[in-house]
Amino acid sequence: MKEVFTMWKYTQMIVLTALSAAIYAAVLIPFKGFVIIPSLTEVRPANVFPFVFGLLFGPAGAWGAAIGNLIGDFFGTLTLGSIGGFVGNFLLGYIPYKLWGAIFYNSKDKEPSINSGKKLAAYIAVVIVSSAACALVISWFADLIRLAPFAALSVIITINNAIAGIVLGPFILLIIYPRIKQWGLLWTEIMRPEDVSPSVSPRLGQLLVWIGAIGGVIVGLIIALGLYNQAMAAAGFGKGTQGGVALAIIMIPFIALVFIGGWMLGGKEQVLAMQE
């Protein structure tokens, strides 16, 4: 996780953060009228960009996703829940490059491109777990502050993110990856190895991220539907917000697992391999 902070020493990474945020916000804003949940979320094809920018620009893509989403919130969805949105969207860009480096830890080809069936499958897996992690954090926080029920929001956010990432992401990567690499703008070619944390345990880190993200959403749904009588997706908003202390507390360890797992995945090895 060291690179999340050390990246601010690099002018190119700062520029990529601004570029990522600007593109994300620019595509988010026109779709603000296609509302799914008033003041909370809308149809978001722009959600493909955190996955793509995270894989290509690493921590700059993660910060860009968080900042870009916050900018978009100023155009109709800015609430206290935007705090959760900032962290959730950060994870939407952070987890992809972390997991990618771990999945291909022992592979000679670590490039974040979709040039094989294995890489396409890896990309889809990365999108799913990142979508769940984003949904977990945003829905937990929204339920905690009684802005929206966990069961309703978590399902919508997970599906909304995953569809955009899986349908649009591979095509965008196929088109822009060669150019980004040619221009020397991959984060692994910009940052120095000493500014990136080494992996502690790629396998365990991956497992913790999966358990935290997917397990957190599933356990949260079980508690929200059973203990608090919430309902999933749109039906949940008809019942109102019914979160409670038990749900809030039980979700904290799952969120912690996502961050601990991400920290364990490091990234220094990916940087060294790409700079050989």
Side-chain angles (χ1 to χ4, degrees), residues 39-59:
S39 298
L40 285 172
T41 191
E42 61 282 329
V43 175
R44 293 168 64 106
N47 278 16
V48 66
F49 291 114
F51 305 118
V52 172
F53 292 155
L55 286 173
L56 299 178
F57 306 146

Side-chain angles (χ1 to χ4, degrees), residues 145-198:
I145 63 175
R146 306 192 68 81
L147 181 64
F150 182 93
L153 198 56
S154 61
V155 172
I156 290 174
I157 291 177
T158 301
I159 294 175
N160 209 11
N161 288 343
I163 289 177
I166 292 172
V167 173
L168 301 175
F171 298 103
I172 294 176
L173 278 171
L174 282 171
I175 294 170
I176 71 171
Y177 176 77
R179 292 167 176 78
I180 296 298
K181 181 173 175 59
Q182 182 182 0
W183 296 334
L185 295 178
L186 293 172
W187 79 276
T188 48
E189 296 178 347
I190 296 173
M191 294 191 68
R192 292 187 293 272
E194 59 267 25
D195 287 328
V196 183
S197 300

Side-chain angles (χ1 to χ4, degrees), residues 32 40 44 68-79 81-82 85:
K32 287 294 180 178
L40 285 172
R44 293 168 64 106
N69 185 76
L70 183 61
I71 293 172
D73 280 356
F74 277 93
F75 291 83
T77 52
L78 185 66
T79 65
S82 295

